[in-house]
Amino acid sequence: MREMADSDTGQGDSSTMHSHEDQSDQLDAFPNRKARPLLFPRTNPSVSTPKEAMDEAESLAYNLDKKTFPEKPLFVLINNENFLRKTGMNKRSGTVKDARNLMQCFTALGFKTDVKQNLTCREMYEYMYSVSKQDHSKRPCFMCAILSHGEKDLIYGIDDTMDFKQLSSCFRGDVCKSLVGKPKIFIVQACRGQEFDDGIQTDAVSHSNNSVPTIPVEADFLYCYSTVLGYYSWRNPERGSWFVQALTEVLNDKGTELEIMRLLTKVNHKVALEFESLSDDQFLSGKKQIPCIMSMLTKEFYFKYLC
């Protein structure tokens, strides 16, 4: 399969370790060729019984019980494929495959899904703001995926760029109160800079009193970025982006078994080891990618409780 960078990089031949098809990888940004412990420690060191271990595990997990939250959680997706000429951004070929795979995956995991195509910056903000103002009190969590071009902390609408935080901040605890204390998970497939990863060889909250607790407004967010800040993100015109390919494969295989951080670690492992660009353009050949997980979750999250 021929793969190209998600920008004006030419039509150089390339392939990935993940597949022998003939399409070239693409980047989710315009390339600048000139630039180059225990999380919850036990206070009691004694050995716990199976029941105690189970009770402790339950206390560390978000409550996603269907009796408590009878409505399906919402999964929204913004898929920007075609951009206005003034942005200098190419069509994001392959993103339709990403969107379809994500929608199918999260529908199977118990989410109510909604997708928007080719939004301007203003439309993206208005859509996200309107979703944040919905009543989520009977929903256990919220998930969002944004597929677009990007630069560092910016995300592209089809007409311009905007700060990604403008979108995610719509769901802060002081803005979207019906999601306070509930997990809010964002999946971002976009470039975050203009650096290439050349790769390197290697061997290898509980409360004891009756007071009403307060939590940080930025708590209970999880950001799943396709790449590390400063780097390009790769996408295949036919198979979709490396990150979404790996994410949906892992979720389809183990999504109802493992806690979300273990799932995302498997995604990181898959992208890091199973994908590598190969192109006639030596500048684009032999490049790697590693997704980035940024968690402010305060408990563990299991999809199995939603299905």
Side-chain angles (χ1 to χ4, degrees):
M1 197 177 217
R2 305 186 70 191
E3 309 189 28
M4 302 186 315
D6 200 350
S7 56
D8 293 329
T9 59
Q11 303 291 323
D13 291 340
S14 64
S15 61
T16 66
M17 297 165 63
H18 193 62
S19 173
H20 296 292
E21 300 176 11
D22 188 26
Q23 271 290 341
S24 59
D25 287 323
Q26 299 186 351
L27 294 171
D28 270 319
F30 189 92
N32 180 353
R33 297 195 177 192
K34 296 180 181 180
R36 289 281 312 163
L38 284 180
L39 184 58
F40 300 100
R42 293 181 57 83
T43 56
N44 183 356
S46 62
V47 177
S48 61
T49 66
K51 183 179 185 305
E52 289 174 339
M54 183 176 297
D55 290 343
E56 181 181 16
E58 289 296 322
S59 70
L60 294 179
Y62 283 103
N63 179 12
L64 307 176
D65 184 70
K66 292 182 179 179
K67 292 182 179 179
T68 307
F69 303 106
E71 293 185 9
K72 287 186 175 183
L74 190 60
F75 171 73
V76 301
L77 187 150
I78 296 176
N79 181 32
N80 290 336
E81 180 182 16
N82 300 303
F83 298 80
L84 299 183
R85 181 176 297 180
K86 68 178 183 178
T87 65
M89 293 292 109
N90 278 356
K91 177 179 179 179
R92 299 184 60 255
S93 302
T95 193
V96 172
K97 180 71 175 293
D98 280 348
R100 181 167 61 248
N101 287 343
L102 286 168
M103 297 293 278
Q104 292 174 349
C105 179
F106 283 101
T107 297
L109 288 172
F111 286 80
K112 176 183 177 182
T113 59
D114 186 45
V115 61
K116 299 295 182 183
Q117 304 275 0
N118 297 319
L119 300 186
T120 64
C121 291
R122 181 183 181 87
E123 288 170 339
M124 287 198 296
Y125 177 78
E126 290 178 346
Y127 174 62
M128 295 291 276
Y129 182 78
S130 68
V131 172
S132 74
K133 290 306 177 184
Q134 292 183 23
D135 183 4
H136 298 269
S137 59
K138 295 182 179 180
R139 298 168 180 165
C141 60
F142 170 74
M143 290 199 69
C144 171
I146 299 177
L147 316 178
S148 191
H149 288 301
E151 297 177 9
K152 295 187 178 180
D153 293 322
L154 302 177
I155 197 79
Y156 271 85
I158 63 170
D159 61 336
D160 205 347
T161 60
M162 67 182 300
D163 193 327
F164 171 69
K165 194 171 181 65
Q166 287 183 262
L167 301 179
S168 62
S169 291
C170 293
F171 298 88
R172 285 179 15 153
D174 56 345
V175 179
C176 182
K177 295 187 177 180
S178 61
L179 282 173
V180 169
K182 301 175 183 179
K184 297 163 280 284
I185 301 171
F186 289 81
I187 297 166
V188 184
Q189 168 56 47
C191 282
R192 302 181 69 197
Q194 298 181 338
E195 293 185 53
F196 285 109
D197 189 331
D198 295 319
I200 188 170
Q201 293 184 345
T202 180
D203 296 326
V205 187
S206 62
H207 300 270
S208 58
N209 53 39
N210 294 323
S211 63
V212 178
T214 61
I215 61 174
V217 296
E218 300 283 1
D220 302 299
F221 279 86
L222 174 62
Y223 300 99
C224 313
Y225 293 101
S226 62
T227 191
V228 176
L229 183 64
Y231 285 85
Y232 282 117
S233 185
W234 292 89
R235 172 178 40 79
N236 185 277
E238 293 189 12
R239 296 193 306 272
S241 65
W242 295 1
F243 174 60
V244 174
Q245 286 182 63
L247 177 64
T248 52
E249 286 178 19
V250 169
L251 289 179
N252 289 334
D253 183 35
K254 298 290 185 180
T256 58
E257 299 177 27
L258 303 177
E259 200 273 332
I260 195 166
M261 295 305 291
R262 291 189 64 190
L263 291 168
L264 294 175
T265 300
K266 283 182 171 290
V267 173
N268 280 7
H269 182 270
K270 183 177 284 289
V271 174
L273 298 184
E274 297 184 15
F275 293 85
E276 180 178 308
S277 65
L278 178 62
S279 174
D280 286 342
D281 184 342
Q282 290 302 308
F283 186 80
L284 300 177
S285 187
K287 306 306 180 186
K288 303 290 290 184
Q289 181 178 322
I290 182 68
C292 177
I293 309 166
M294 188 169 71
S295 175
M296 280 75 78
L297 296 183
T298 58
K299 293 186 178 183
E300 295 178 343
F301 180 91
Y302 292 89
F303 287 107
K304 64 182 179 182
Y305 297 124
L306 301 175
C307 300

